[in-house]
Amino acid sequence: MSKLSLDRILQSQGFGTRKYCRALIEDGEVAVNGAPHSNYKTTFDTEDLVLTIFDEEWAYREHVYLALNKPANFECSRKPSHHPGVLTLLPEQFTWREVQPVGRLDHDTTGMLLMSDDGPFIHAQSSPKRHVPKIYQATTQDPVTPELVAQLLAGVKLHDEPAPLAAVTCIERGEHQLEIVLEQGKYHQVKRMLAAAGNHCVALHRSAIGGLTLASLGIAEGEWCYLDQSQLDLLR
Ligand code: URA
């Protein structure tokens, strides 16, 4: 349990600078657990606290854990150069709280992207030691063959990698459709593995991370949701 002044609470949740948060409170735009408060010095226990700001409710969260159903043509990098960044798909306060993608998807890859402002979580989740399976649906230019599947399972050599990289599982899902499960997260890994195996990836979608599937979240392309503890447990 922690007690914080109302201006600090708003700032911690990403509603702006301390000065701006104080102004919001003094202007009567803020309620706590349903009751309006205009003194920014008042302290509150943050547990189970719900803020109402401009008539919208926000439960207090020490950290946020989100899943985004990433559309194509959005970049995961901090300083996007050719397309808008994925943060533009989230409410503005998540940028203020320094929410970041957990790992990256290419600008043209769609599907599940985890995002958080919890540094140790981001670090642990991205660690190569963790072996969290990531499930991709790849559309190939040339038809999928048993040889292609065998090569991806046996491992292919990528030019800047010391050892061959192999898919954990690789299943033909259609004439041009492959489901590939990887435990590493190397740069352009699926695309480069398919190219090394003599095919070409024309579209890529991440459908799950660990036991957490995008389908189970029920979010449309471009939408996001909070992840609760039971969903986070599925990422292990
Ligand atoms: N592999 C790729 O090639 N691209 C991605 O976005 C993710 C995995």
Side-chain angles (χ1 to χ4, degrees):
M1 185 212 307
S2 66
K3 270 197 135 198
L4 290 175
S5 60
L6 190 51
D7 58 345
R8 278 183 188 274
I9 291 174
L10 257 69
Q11 193 186 13
S12 75
Q13 302 301 288
F15 287 100
T17 60
R18 183 84 61 85
K19 190 171 166 199
Y20 178 75
C21 292
R22 286 180 178 177
L24 274 184
I25 297 161
E26 288 183 333
D27 287 351
E29 299 293 355
V30 180
V32 179
N33 299 332
H37 282 277
S38 55
N39 183 347
Y40 64 77
K41 292 184 185 156
T42 311
T43 60
F44 294 90
D45 175 1
T46 53
E47 201 170 315
D48 296 329
L49 181 142
V50 179
L51 297 166
T52 311
I53 298 169
F54 294 127
D55 296 327
E56 209 176 330
E57 286 196 351
W58 297 94
Y60 175 90
R61 291 169 195 266
E62 187 179 351
H63 288 295
V64 287
Y65 305 91
L66 316 172
L68 172 70
N69 185 349
K70 180 189 172 298
N73 299 323
F74 283 84
E75 289 183 26
C76 290
S77 72
R78 267 171 195 262
K79 292 191 179 150
S81 47
H82 299 295
H83 301 279
V86 286
L87 279 163
T88 61
L89 295 164
L90 305 179
E92 200 188 346
Q93 66 264 33
F94 292 143
T95 303
W96 281 89
R97 314 184 50 143
E98 298 187 10
V99 165
Q100 306 172 32
V102 179
R104 286 188 183 186
L105 291 176
D106 298 334
H107 83 272
D108 53 354
T109 301
T110 59
M112 191 193 285
L113 181 68
L114 303 179
M115 301 184 79
S116 179
D117 61 352
D118 180 349
F121 169 81
I122 295 173
H123 184 72
Q125 199 62 35
S126 334
S127 163
K129 291 188 195 132
R130 249 177 107 108
H131 302 294
V132 182
K134 312 216 173 53
I135 296 100
Y136 295 94
Q137 313 300 324
T139 307
T140 60
Q141 183 167 287
D142 300 322
V144 173
T145 60
E147 294 73 37
L148 175 72
V149 172
Q151 258 185 292
L152 294 169
L153 286 172
V156 289
K157 181 80 183 69
L158 302 184
H159 99 118
D160 53 352
E161 291 296 330
L165 295 176
V168 180
T169 61
C170 183
I171 302 167
E172 180 179 350
R173 292 282 187 209
E175 201 187 346
H176 291 264
Q177 290 295 326
L178 259 188
E179 180 173 295
I180 305 181
V181 180
L182 298 181
E183 279 185 348
Q184 313 93 341
K186 310 276 183 193
Y187 181 66
H188 292 331
Q189 190 172 340
V190 174
K191 294 175 186 167
R192 290 196 300 149
M193 285 176 69
L194 277 168
N199 205 315
H200 176 69
C201 181
V202 292
L204 188 60
H205 176 81
R206 183 154 71 190
S207 54
I209 299 177
L212 184 65
T213 65
L214 189 56
S216 72
L217 298 175
I219 45 173
E221 208 171 72
E223 288 182 354
W224 63 276
C225 65
Y226 289 111
L227 297 177
D228 62 25
Q229 193 54 54
S230 66
Q231 291 166 323
L232 293 173
D233 289 344
L234 293 173
L235 299 171
R236 298 230 173 96

